Amino acid sequence: MQSHADFNDILSPEDKKGRVDHPQWLINGFREVTLACGLIDVPLIGYPFTWSRSRGTPNAIEERIDRALVVPSWSSIFPLAKLFNHSAPLSEHNPILLITETPTQHTKHRGFRFENTRLNEPDSAEVVKESWDNSHATHLADRLAMTAASLQQWGKHVFRKYRYEIDKCKRRIEELRSTDDRESVRYLKGSEL
């Protein structure tokens, strides 16, 4: 049985950054309820705040109002669960993603899939042509399998390049999220990474 609640409250003063302090009696009340219910707060990975308003101004406020609270029995079923805070520059709320991998789950080997983005790579056509021309197989299925294998090997290099660029953009977003100046906020919202 799953349950969902939207509390929009914080558990500690560290869950808020900005102008007016959050009333301590509200923090205490929310904390007491979570303790009385035996709830465990799944640690958040990434930027510590999930909601913001007026970033880049003197009135900026950031809070961690989005979280995953679980009971111990759930936590024992999903001991490797992780909660990730992602960026959404054009929204006040950041999306959070709960990954519930169990210790026995294994990644299945996926078959070959050709990604259309690879067509933008200047040497993709050459990889296909070279593999096809150098294949000595006479059956179409064998030639396709050999070409797929060549593309898969070549794609590992391309994927590493994409992964590097994605990671670089994520690092830049994290840098921008941790500053409150107008220029950084404008840059982040304009996605000019």
Side-chain angles (χ1 to χ4, degrees):
M1 180 174 153
Q2 295 178 349
S3 179
H4 170 268
D6 191 2
F7 299 110
N8 282 343
D9 215 336
I10 62 177
L11 284 172
S12 76
E14 291 77 33
D15 286 347
K16 180 170 181 163
K17 177 178 141 185
R19 41 186 186 134
V20 181
D21 288 339
H22 200 75
Q24 191 62 45
W25 64 272
L26 281 173
I27 294 171
N28 292 343
F30 186 40
R31 190 178 309 125
E32 287 173 20
V33 168
T34 58
L35 289 172
C37 293
L39 298 175
I40 300 167
D41 192 17
V42 176
L44 185 67
I45 298 170
Y47 194 66
F49 305 105
T50 61
W51 176 86
S52 65
R53 178 173 287 155
S54 304
R55 291 207 58 224
T57 72
N59 299 324
I61 300 172
E62 292 184 286
E63 295 180 347
R64 180 182 176 198
I65 60 173
D66 302 298
R67 53 188 0 107
L69 297 169
V70 299
V71 294
S73 59
W74 186 95
S75 189
S76 66
I77 295 170
F78 301 104
L80 302 177
K82 294 181 176 120
L83 185 65
F84 294 92
N85 186 4
H86 293 282
S87 178
L90 300 179
S91 174
E92 291 180 342
H93 289 272
N94 292 331
I96 57 174
L97 176 64
L98 179 65
I99 304 291
T100 59
E101 185 176 308
T102 61
T104 58
Q105 283 180 323
H106 298 286
T107 309
K108 292 182 181 178
H109 177 69
R110 291 181 5 191
F112 172 73
R113 291 184 181 167
F114 184 80
E115 302 289 335
N116 285 338
T117 58
R118 293 178 182 170
L119 292 172
N120 296 329
E121 293 297 316
D123 54 344
S124 64
E126 183 60 33
V127 171
V128 171
K129 182 176 178 356
E130 190 175 303
S131 176
W132 190 265
D133 290 347
N134 291 336
S135 173
H136 299 292
T138 55
H139 296 290
L140 178 62
D142 294 336
R143 286 186 106 169
L144 286 173
M146 292 179 80
T147 303
S150 294
L151 280 170
Q152 198 166 22
Q153 189 63 32
W154 168 79
K156 287 179 184 178
H157 168 72
V158 172
F159 180 76
R160 277 193 293 271
K161 182 175 84 171
Y162 287 150
R163 174 56 46 209
Y164 172 78
E165 291 298 320
I166 289 168
D167 289 343
K168 187 168 115 178
C169 288
K170 284 181 178 180
R171 284 191 303 276
R172 183 68 176 133
I173 287 170
E174 289 305 311
E175 289 171 16
L176 293 170
R177 285 170 78 181
S178 62
T179 60
D180 281 333
D181 63 276
R182 280 187 197 268
E183 188 64 24
S184 294
V185 172
R186 184 194 62 75
Y187 195 68
L188 184 61
K189 288 187 176 182
S191 298
E192 302 167 9
L193 304 173

